[in-house]
Amino acid sequence: MKKLIRLSKSCISNLEKKAVERVLSKEHLGMGDEVQVFEKKLKKMLNRPVVCVNSGTAALHLALQACGIGAGDEVLVPSITYVSSFQSISATGAKAIPCDVNENNLIINLKDSEKRLTKKTKAIMPVHFSGSVGELDELYKFAKKNNLRVIEDAAHAFGTTYKKKVIGSFGDITCFSFDGIKNITSGEGGCLVTNDKKIIQSSKDARLLGVINDTEKRFSAQRSWDFDVKRQGWRYHMSNINAAIGIAQLKRFKLLTKQRQNSCKYYDSLFKKQNKIMIFKRNYDLEVPHIYVVKINKMKNRNNLRKKLIKLGIQTGVHYFPNHKLSKYKLNTRKKLKVTDKIYKKLLTLPLHPDISKNDIKRVVNSLSKVLL
Ligand SMILES: *Cc1c(COP(=O)(O)O)cnc(C)c1O
């Protein structure tokens, strides 16, 4: 059998390995100077204060909590997203309201969202699907008009720019994920970014079980013994090991970005020569793609198709099974999600990671065309 082409994977060099070794030798694995440095470097890139946590989901949860969102509140979110967006909302006690997406970019549809507004709606969580952000200005206008907080789920979009500004450098609150396969990884991890000082301070405390000002202590290799707790907190802080990996990945980010962008451009160029497989129009000079998704109108049985591809050594994925079809969230859906219900069955995610070669991509495209015959 031919070499397996993985759907996604971490891309690790000697830089990350040495960084981890360095932290291990110092024998300070918890939250300390490495996390502080990682936050500083992210702040420099995004030009706003950053709070690092142990996952993107934790970042979303803390952002919502810091906005005071909880029981009795509703948050608009596209149904096509990782279940993490939904779980972060329900974790606060608020209700996640599944919204429809635009057919052309799989981004939350504002006309549809408008119909789902109620007196309880407190926030909207757009998801930057595959690194694309859609019309963010329109989204912010919509939020302003309806007095909503915006928590951007930018888990896919680290490095993407919108109107010459990098995602995370503007807007209300932006949350990134650094899990193993994202645009940069820290092993596991995430962060939230905002100019809102209250959100920053409350998230800093909440990541360390609500212990007030413990972050500052940890950064000077101490901890609080004599402290107060006023609000619910969590064990969401990032470890020095994870931060060290993240710092190394940041150093390599330009290269990792180019590799992802070039691979998507190459996929696009190959798919343009046929008409069975529809690509999503993206500008890969401005976006950093996390996944490469295609739409296959004639797809009859995706599971069968995926099985055939795996026999040819090609791993594929599905982004995403709609959340409004999950037992936990289906009762939150008042009106039909027409585009979502139609489109999700046609989506297929093809292998993409920084180490994929042109030959791999050719093999993926040829194999897919062959099994679709
Ligand atoms: C990865 C991801 C998250 C959550 O990030 P974790 O670090 O895995 O918790 C949230 N939303 C989307 C769309 C994601 O892909």
Side-chain angles (χ1 to χ4, degrees):
M1 199 174 115
K2 281 189 177 169
K3 181 193 87 174
L4 177 73
I5 302 177
R6 288 165 71 179
L7 173 64
S8 56
K9 70 173 196 71
S10 312
C11 173
I12 297 301
S13 72
N14 271 330
L15 207 62
E16 287 86 345
K17 290 176 193 168
K18 276 192 198 136
V20 170
E21 222 174 272
R22 190 165 37 76
V23 173
L24 291 175
S25 313
K26 279 200 275 186
E27 297 184 319
H28 180 186
L29 309 189
M31 187 170 113
D33 52 351
E34 296 285 337
V35 178
Q36 189 176 24
V37 170
F38 191 32
E39 283 184 354
K40 274 189 185 153
K41 290 191 184 285
L42 289 166
K43 183 179 176 186
K44 200 168 168 213
M45 169 181 168
L46 303 170
N47 215 10
R48 299 203 295 177
V50 174
V51 179
C52 280
V53 287
N54 57 8
S55 75
T57 311
L60 292 169
H61 182 199
L62 289 190
L64 290 157
Q65 178 177 289
C67 290
I69 287 161
D73 298 332
E74 294 181 356
V75 179
L76 303 170
V77 57
S79 183
I80 293 192
T81 181
Y82 191 35
V83 66
S84 155
S85 323
F86 275 69
Q87 285 280 23
S88 69
I89 296 166
S90 49
T92 68
K95 209 169 175 179
I97 304 297
C99 297
D100 214 352
V101 291
N102 304 321
E103 201 163 356
N104 65 333
N105 62 6
L106 304 175
I107 301 285
I108 192 165
N109 181 290
L110 296 178
K111 280 221 177 78
D112 175 86
S113 303
E114 191 162 27
K115 291 184 201 146
R116 296 175 202 272
L117 285 166
T118 70
K119 269 185 274 178
K120 297 176 181 169
T121 316
K122 293 284 155 56
I124 184 166
M125 183 184 286
V127 176
H128 300 335
F129 189 92
S130 84
S132 251
V133 298
E135 289 302 327
L136 253 193
D137 280 349
E138 294 302 315
L139 185 123
Y140 272 98
K141 264 188 225 158
F142 173 86
K144 195 170 177 196
K145 185 175 149 203
N146 297 294
N147 203 18
L148 306 178
R149 295 297 304 238
V150 179
I151 293 113
E152 295 179 38
D153 180 342
H156 293 191
F158 189 79
T160 287
T161 54
Y162 175 73
K163 299 196 172 166
K164 301 209 164 105
K165 290 177 292 189
V166 66
I167 292 301
S169 67
F170 62 95
D172 193 2
I173 310 174
T174 313
C175 298
F176 293 105
S177 162
F178 306 134
D179 79 22
I181 56 169
K182 292 284 167 40
N183 291 357
I184 64 163
T185 183
S186 62
E188 295 287 352
C191 74
L192 67 87
V193 191
T194 180
N195 265 335
D196 187 328
K197 288 199 184 84
K198 262 181 148 161
I199 302 280
I200 291 289
Q201 194 53 49
S202 120
S203 303
K204 274 184 178 172
D205 292 344
R207 71 176 160 182
L208 286 159
L209 293 170
V211 175
I212 289 173
N213 292 330
D214 203 22
T215 286
E216 289 68 22
K217 284 262 164 46
R218 302 274 179 141
F219 283 168
S220 50
Q222 298 171 43
R223 58 196 295 176
S224 311
W225 300 108
D226 188 6
F227 57 78
D228 194 17
V229 169
K230 288 183 184 154
R231 276 187 294 247
Q232 179 64 53
W234 314 89
R235 288 285 284 179
Y236 279 173
H237 59 282
M238 182 180 266
S239 87
N240 273 345
I241 302 179
N242 294 109
I245 298 172
I247 294 165
Q249 286 260 305
L250 260 190
K251 286 185 189 145
R252 300 173 57 225
F253 185 54
K254 258 198 185 142
L255 176 72
L256 298 173
T257 293
K258 264 272 161 299
Q259 286 167 322
R260 283 183 179 275
Q261 290 171 329
N262 287 342
S263 294
C264 289
K265 286 181 189 174
Y266 192 55
Y267 265 126
D268 278 3
S269 73
L270 296 179
F271 281 130
K272 267 185 193 136
K273 294 175 192 153
Q274 54 75 56
N275 53 18
K276 284 206 183 88
I277 298 141
M278 315 282 292
I279 60 174
F280 288 91
K281 242 197 193 150
R282 313 281 198 206
N283 184 342
Y284 292 117
D285 292 320
L286 305 177
E287 300 180 14
V288 185
H290 162 54
I291 47 178
Y292 189 83
V293 177
V294 294
K295 195 175 99 186
I296 302 169
N297 284 321
K298 287 204 177 135
M299 186 137 58
K300 287 189 202 90
N301 187 330
R302 183 167 50 198
N303 280 341
N304 260 346
L305 182 75
R306 295 187 55 233
K307 270 185 208 150
K308 284 182 191 165
L309 286 168
I310 212 67
K311 278 194 189 133
L312 296 171
I314 291 154
Q315 213 176 37
T316 55
V318 177
H319 293 84
Y320 290 98
F321 185 76
N323 284 272
H324 75 279
K325 295 190 175 290
L326 301 177
S327 307
K328 185 165 167 58
Y329 301 111
K330 65 181 164 209
L331 295 176
N332 299 7
T333 316
R334 294 175 198 115
K335 294 182 198 72
K336 280 206 157 178
L337 283 78
K338 280 192 197 145
V339 175
T340 302
D341 285 339
K342 197 176 66 178
I343 209 167
Y344 86 90
K345 296 175 189 145
K346 301 176 181 171
L347 302 176
L348 185 72
T349 309
L350 304 180
L352 179 71
H353 53 74
D355 288 334
I356 201 162
S357 71
K358 271 192 157 183
N359 269 333
D360 289 341
I361 292 173
K362 248 190 240 163
R363 227 182 91 199
V364 172
V365 172
N366 290 339
S367 308
L368 184 56
S369 307
K370 203 163 84 190
V371 299
L372 276 176
L373 270 183

